[in-house]
Amino acid sequence: DWKVLVTATVVVAADHAVRGFWWPQSVYGIALVQPWRWVEHASWVLFEDVILVLSCRMGVRDVLPMARDRATLESVNASVELQVIERTRELQRSESLSQTIVNVALEGIWMLDDQARTTFVNQRMTKMLDYTPEEMAGHPWYEFMDVDSLAGAKLLFERLQQGIGEQ
């Protein structure tokens, strides 16, 4: 604040003038001084003030672009966070709806990984096969087939893996 700087400069100049007149050794370190010595000291304080003001202005000039960039980044970050929150809500609603559809479906739904192991079965499929989801998890699909249907089911599964559908 420039008011503080001006006030401090005036106080220092007045202090040097008054103490230099009444008790010069307390200010200048010598008993006898020239009557205008306080002007020299006040000039040095003014010189320091000029250097201080210039340094402050240069610092502000250097920091201001970084502060603007930071404010822009924070604004963009806040916008992205709001989008993430909204998209997360949409995803949760969609997942909830999908889960409801899968669980109330009249058809059995059975999901496998790339090694043909069970990753998910809906309630209808567990009732059809009379197993719990926990009993089926991680096991290959063919462990749940009867011996008579196994050969045809394996052939159909191989065709599906190759991208060839039922005909």
Side-chain angles (χ1 to χ4, degrees):
D1 188 15
W2 68 271
K3 296 174 194 169
V4 174
L5 192 59
V6 169
T7 304
T9 302
V10 169
V11 167
V12 168
D15 175 61
H16 282 121
V18 171
R19 283 196 307 147
F21 180 75
W22 294 105
W23 188 20
Q25 195 166 6
S26 70
V27 178
Y28 309 118
I30 54 175
L32 296 173
V33 294
Q34 301 291 330
W36 294 99
R37 175 69 65 117
W38 69 273
V39 174
E40 177 188 353
H41 281 243
S43 298
W44 279 110
V45 171
L46 283 173
F47 173 76
E48 291 168 356
D49 289 349
V50 168
I51 297 300
L52 179 64
V53 167
L54 290 175
S55 297
C56 288
R57 290 182 65 134
M58 287 176 16
V60 167
R61 184 194 68 209
D62 292 345
V63 172
L64 194 58
M66 289 186 286
R68 286 186 184 130
D69 291 346
R70 172 113 186 198
T72 301
L73 286 174
E74 287 178 4
S75 174
V76 168
N77 188 33
S79 173
V80 168
E81 284 182 22
L82 289 175
Q83 287 180 338
V84 167
I85 289 169
E86 182 58 32
R87 298 273 169 85
T88 301
R89 285 184 191 138
E90 290 173 9
L91 179 61
Q92 288 170 339
R93 285 191 296 266
S94 175
E95 285 178 344
S96 176
L97 179 62
S98 297
Q99 190 65 32
T100 300
I101 291 170
V102 166
N103 284 331
V104 299
L106 298 177
E107 293 83 20
I109 299 174
W110 192 345
M111 295 176 64
L112 306 171
D113 64 12
D114 59 347
Q115 300 296 316
R117 293 182 302 246
T118 303
T119 58
F120 173 80
V121 288
N122 71 346
Q123 293 171 359
R124 180 71 175 160
M125 182 58 75
T126 60
K127 288 179 183 175
M128 290 168 59
L129 297 175
D130 198 28
Y131 286 98
T132 65
E134 293 79 20
E135 291 173 321
M136 296 180 71
H139 292 277
W141 62 271
Y142 51 82
E143 287 184 12
F144 303 98
M145 300 291 298
D146 62 17
V147 177
D148 298 336
S149 305
L150 189 57
K154 279 190 175 184
L155 181 62
L156 177 60
F157 185 75
E158 288 173 7
R159 292 182 71 193
L160 289 172
Q161 280 185 311
Q162 295 170 2
I164 303 169
E166 291 185 71
Q167 296 178 3

